[in-house]
Amino acid sequence: MVVPGRQDKEEKIFYPPEDLQTNAHVPNFNSYLALYKRSIEEPEEFWRDVAQEFYWTEPPSGPVLQFNFDVTKGNINMKFMAGAKTNVCYNVLDRNVLDRDLGEKVAYYWEGNSPGHHQTITYTDLLKQVCRCANGLKQMGVQKGDRVAIYLPMIPELVVTMLACARIGAVHSTVFAGFSSDSLAERIVDAQCSVLVTADGVYRGEKLINLKQISDKALENCQEKGPLTVQKCVVVKHHGFKTGGTNERQRLQTPWNTQRDVWWHNMVDSESEHCDPEWLDAEDPLFILYTSGSTGKPKGVLHTVAGYLLYTYLTFRYVFDHHHDDVYWCTADIGWITGHSYIAYGPLANGATSVLFEGIPVYPHVCRYWEIIEKYGVSKFYTAPTAIRLLMKHGREPLQKYDLSSLRVLGTVGEPISPEAWLWYHDAVGQGRCPVVDTFWQTETGGHVLTPLPAATPLKPGSATLPFFGVEPCILNENGEELQGEAEGYLVFQKPWPGIMRGIYGNQERFENTYFKKFPGFYVTGDGCRRDKDGYYWITGRIDDMLNVSGHLLSTAEVEGALADHEAVAEAAVVGRPHALKGECLYCFVTLKDSREFTNVLVGELKSRVREKIGPIATPDFIQNAPSLPKTRSGKIMRRVLRQIARNDEDLGDLSTLADPKVVDVLFSQRCEAAA
Ligand code: PRX
């Protein structure tokens, strides 16, 4: 790694602003290099120092990191500070209240879907609410190791439930509240959850979503798959309770099963504000979070106690250069890993003040983000390229109406950001004075792995720049050979860092096959990557059958499965097509059964089938009739050709392996020009 030269004319480089450097935790490039070197050469000492920030009933004394990444040498495993004992909830709440005098500090400014609905929650408030919830869950019989499914919108009860689980050693499995009942059911069954925590309903923009009805449908669906593991369904009265009565609002039917359903307020109101934490082993499970898998079925990514705590703490502190007076806002939903690591655990571990936002960027107007930044004086702002593209469409005028002078650091995550969007973010939102940290990471990595540090790393628009402490990226070619210097290939890692996943819940074989089989000795991210002459990393996108729609990973196999589930469909193939706002959208080819006709009604049915099976984020933009699909002689669908048809790219190259090349002309002639 070298400092990119100022004289380099080919690319624009942005150097850290001096005022940020004065006070920063990592104030310049040399300090980054020195700390990075230490984290790689003396990992034991490096992480032991970080561990000192936390409270342990059994401090780490054995080896810090133990692992095997080589499938040919036995089971894949990784352990961090195994044998030490602590509790994540205690460290992110009690420690802040008791030892750091942060009890009165605001943990969250909750901002509802509608402006005017808001709430302020201090660390002391949060601790009390968490203890009540933890006691309530215990009363229901939830014990250490039990799984609790959470299907909640972005309300404080979501963080409260997660932390309550962490306090008593239960394992939370949060499911994004935009997923369908089928998706929720699949996740509940896979993790065998004993409790489901949900809400009556929520407004997303102007749309009312009946979460309880979806939850009930999911539980029915679970029952069809076997004995129902869920004993209790806890329901937050959110729709009519905190947000001001239902009189002027659409009525919401809340179906009720008196045997099973419990109102949240009835569960917590009579409980004590004190609850002893369960002291857990560093390697005990903390949570499961599902992410799309290329074979269709979602994978329950498992994270454990100590490694995740230390890693989210440290990345948050350094990547956002967190200071006591900051107001931080991450716009992600907690149902995704970004929310787990950088709305819940990382910020709380640092005693930070965050905004917790329930709504969407354009409701009730396109200035909502800017209004919130001004309202709370947000200094560190973290969002996704898809939101940036959406807001960019509305130009700079909406920004000029608000005072954004509190902003210091901007962050992005979820998909590659184009230099154009990066520059708009930097110039229009950050007014040219805020570094943009482009953070590359995954559900599996637990926290940032490639990222700039705002006061230390010179920035190149579109590059996630350099590795975080303790992370050693490698680039491999197709033969698994490690490439040095300037290179492009598979992004892999040879060693773990504390926050990396520990497995796929209940499926070691799939874990090893998915991430470790292709190149023995390496964790394979599934992303392509280029390293430039300065050692900077540029993510080029997924190189497996995954699509990234608005920053959300979707598996083509899962969408194909949902389409093929329709009785008219004989076969389906799904590819990505570039999309101005979503980054990528779904372009589907369907082959119908002989007697069936391709009609607009059918297209509508297919779209709703995908919505029902997966959720609105997976709704296809294009559905094309495909009398047959381009296949090799051995029957494999040539996705490359389908991608080119979807993009209207006629430069098809070598088609000699196709069994019937005429298929391609037919598909080109029937391409969808406009979205369905
Ligand atoms: O393809 C990469 C893309 O998102 C994938 C991980 O998705 P998920 O597990 O849902 O987590 C998203 C939030 C961490 C990666 O494999 N990705 C994420 N961040 C970036 C990115 N691609 C390019 N640049 C990024 N900064």
Side-chain angles (χ1 to χ4, degrees), residues 289-292 301 332 336-339 341-342 382 385 412-417 437-448 450-451 462-464 491 523 525-528 538-544 546-548 551-554:
L289 184 61
Y290 285 82
T291 183
S292 300
V301 170
W336 308 107
I337 191 70
T338 307
S341 300
Y342 299 113
Y382 193 28
T412 158
V413 58
E415 55 180 307
I417 183 165
V437 289
D438 176 359
T439 60
F440 167 82
W441 59 295
Q442 308 177 296
T443 307
E444 294 86 341
T445 69
H448 307 137
L450 299 177
T451 177
S463 168
L491 176 66
Y523 164 77
T525 59
D527 283 291
W538 301 72
I539 302 296
T540 52
R542 298 293 303 188
I543 38 182
D544 51 12
M546 306 288 273
L547 299 178
N548 194 324
H552 304 309
L553 277 193
L554 290 174

Side-chain angles (χ1 to χ4, degrees), residues 26-27 32 80 104 152 260 297 346 373 417 440-441 461 526 528 576 592 599 604 626 643 668:
V26 185
Y32 162 72
F80 182 75
E104 295 314 303
L152 283 173
R260 185 195 65 202
K297 198 171 150 13
I373 291 174
I417 183 165
F440 167 82
W441 59 295
L592 300 183
T599 61
R643 271 193 287 271
F668 257 113

Side-chain angles (χ1 to χ4, degrees), residues 1 14-16 20 26 28-29 32 314-321 342 382 409-413 417 422 434-441 448-469 536-537 539:
M1 288 171 221
F14 294 81
Y15 291 89
L20 202 70
V26 185
N28 54 54
F29 197 63
Y32 162 72
L314 203 73
T315 44
F316 179 80
R317 177 178 164 84
Y318 285 148
V319 173
F320 298 107
D321 189 37
Y342 299 113
Y382 193 28
V409 175
L410 303 174
T412 158
V413 58
I417 183 165
W422 194 104
C434 306
V436 174
V437 289
D438 176 359
T439 60
F440 167 82
W441 59 295
H448 307 137
V449 283
L450 299 177
T451 177
L453 303 185
T457 318
L459 305 171
K460 301 185 186 189
S463 168
T465 74
L466 298 167
F468 188 74
F469 304 131
Y536 274 44
Y537 292 87
I539 302 296

Side-chain angles (χ1 to χ4, degrees), residues 460-479:
K460 301 185 186 189
S463 168
T465 74
L466 298 167
F468 188 74
F469 304 131
V471 174
E472 285 178 273
C474 310
I475 297 184
L476 304 185
N477 65 14
E478 190 56 50
N479 302 326

Side-chain angles (χ1 to χ4, degrees), residues 516-640:
F516 294 93
K517 198 111 186 228
K518 188 170 173 68
F519 299 122
F522 296 94
Y523 164 77
V524 181
T525 59
D527 283 291
C529 183
R530 178 169 71 80
R531 188 168 46 220
D532 72 14
K533 63 181 186 337
D534 296 319
Y536 274 44
Y537 292 87
W538 301 72
I539 302 296
T540 52
R542 298 293 303 188
I543 38 182
D544 51 12
D545 287 335
M546 306 288 273
L547 299 178
N548 194 324
V549 177
S550 301
H552 304 309
L553 277 193
L554 290 174
S555 118
T556 49
E558 199 177 0
V559 182
E560 284 160 7
L563 290 167
D565 192 56
H566 192 287
E567 37 86 31
V569 175
E571 195 172 18
V574 177
V575 295
R577 170 180 153 140
H579 185 281
L581 294 181
K582 301 180 186 179
E584 233 178 347
C585 69
L586 300 177
Y587 192 110
C588 312
F589 295 86
V590 293
T591 305
L592 300 183
K593 290 184 182 154
D594 278 348
S595 55
R596 302 303 298 248
E597 215 184 313
F598 191 83
T599 61
N600 285 340
V601 174
L602 179 67
V603 168
E605 282 175 21
L606 291 174
K607 288 175 92 173
S608 30
R609 182 60 56 99
V610 176
R611 261 200 301 271
E612 268 165 38
K613 285 258 151 201
I614 307 173
I617 48 166
T619 309
D621 279 51
F622 299 89
I623 299 183
Q624 174 175 348
N625 185 20
S628 47
L629 292 167
K631 291 187 182 166
T632 60
R633 283 184 193 88
S634 59
K636 202 166 177 273
I637 296 173
M638 281 186 77
R639 289 173 182 280
R640 170 180 73 81

